[in-house]
Amino acid sequence: MKDSMILSDDISEVICATLRAAIFEGALKPGDKLKEDILAKHFGASRTVVRGALTMLAQQHLAERRRNHGSFVATPTPAEAKNLLASRRVLEMAVMDALPGRLNKKEFDVLARTIENETKVHSGSDATEKKRIAGDFHHILAEYAGNHVLLEMLENVITRLSLVNALYERANDCTCGTSHHALILDHLKAGDYDAARTAMAVHLEDMEGNIAFEGVDGEKDEFLAILERMTGKP
Ligand SMILES: [Zn+2]
């Protein structure tokens, strides 16, 4: 009895993790329907287990349930997107503050290899792979900060931000500033944590600059303008 319960939870988690990964790499887009019947068949799971997985995903704010219509990939509003960006800044700065004294040759080598891999992937044309590796550098730094709560929060915010990017990004080819990463690493290696912190702040600002909400509000205004013109009612 207990075993089968654990098993169900496991399958729910596998389904949730699969959908989460598909959202992160951009295969599933904001507003896409998460079809319960196909999920159940593919994973050989009951509807209950599938719903459990979708509930988990909704708790992570990556899916939303619409009454009588099923579950969909979440569509963050501009306000939510702004809050996510602000939260990411706080979390990334907390990571930078926790790094002094925690990095040695082994860690520097891993970070250098991560940047090398980013350079290689970004010179290629595999857009999915580019998205898949987008958070790697930040994820590894957060791991080195040695605070798992912080790491978990940052991972969740970065995954939710992949939905924000899909909706509001100006250039649809986020390189996540490989040159910025290299600069941050140089400062860390030199033991200049203040400069590394500043470089991270500049890097985040640069990424935020690539997100545009004006168009979204503008479109709404334009829509309202059309209604006003059609109805003659302000
Ligand atoms: Zn980055």
Side-chain angles (χ1 to χ4, degrees):
M1 180 74 175
K2 200 164 177 249
D3 277 356
S4 74
M5 276 172 68
I6 290 168
L7 202 61
S8 302
D9 278 354
D10 280 353
I11 301 172
S12 289
E13 268 166 32
V14 169
I15 297 172
C16 180
T18 305
L19 294 173
R20 195 181 155 98
I23 288 169
F24 186 70
E25 67 172 48
L28 284 172
K29 302 210 163 21
D32 278 356
K33 178 145 193 183
L34 300 166
K35 296 169 187 161
E36 282 183 18
D37 49 344
I38 293 178
L39 283 167
K41 208 172 163 197
H42 181 79
F43 287 95
S46 68
R47 286 288 186 125
T48 312
V49 170
V50 168
R51 283 193 195 126
L54 294 174
T55 301
M56 271 185 225
L57 208 61
Q59 279 162 352
Q60 296 170 17
H61 304 278
L62 294 171
E64 50 206 22
R65 190 156 284 169
R66 292 179 202 157
R67 213 178 157 79
N68 300 326
H69 291 282
S71 291
F72 297 80
V73 177
T75 308
T77 61
E80 190 185 345
K82 282 173 192 164
N83 288 340
L84 284 166
L85 290 170
S87 303
R88 176 174 188 173
R89 223 177 304 137
V90 172
L91 295 170
E92 297 263 18
M93 288 300 127
V95 166
M96 297 308 285
D97 288 342
L99 289 178
R102 302 189 67 93
L103 304 177
N104 286 301
K105 190 180 179 307
K106 192 177 138 241
E107 286 77 21
F108 290 139
D109 286 349
V110 172
L111 289 165
R113 277 201 301 277
T114 307
I115 295 172
E116 257 171 54
N117 185 48
E118 283 175 352
T119 311
K120 202 179 86 202
V121 171
H122 284 300
S123 66
S125 57
D126 188 341
T128 304
E129 186 62 11
K130 283 181 196 177
K131 289 205 178 89
R132 203 176 290 143
I133 64 153
D136 283 2
F137 182 80
H138 299 265
H139 174 97
I140 292 168
L141 276 184
E143 266 184 5
Y144 291 157
N147 179 337
H148 284 272
V149 178
L150 196 55
L151 174 65
E152 213 178 285
M153 289 167 82
L154 185 62
E155 276 196 336
N156 183 258
V157 168
I158 289 180
T159 307
R160 289 170 72 184
L161 278 170
S162 66
L163 292 172
V164 170
N165 288 339
L167 286 166
Y168 306 113
E169 203 171 35
R170 278 179 221 270
N172 207 5
D173 184 31
C174 177
T175 58
C176 194
T178 302
S179 60
H180 286 165
H181 294 171
L183 185 64
I184 293 166
L185 178 58
D186 282 347
H187 290 313
L188 290 173
K189 273 177 154 175
D192 192 344
Y193 289 95
D194 281 345
R197 202 179 191 281
T198 306
M200 177 59 90
V202 169
H203 174 46
L204 294 172
E205 216 169 282
D206 185 59
M207 283 198 286
E208 286 174 25
N210 208 19
I211 311 256
F213 302 111
E214 302 85 9
V216 181
D217 293 340
E219 269 169 40
K220 270 186 197 159
D221 290 342
E222 206 179 303
F223 179 60
L224 185 61
I226 291 169
L227 292 181
E228 285 172 355
R229 203 175 67 238
M230 299 302 286
T231 58
K233 200 174 105 190

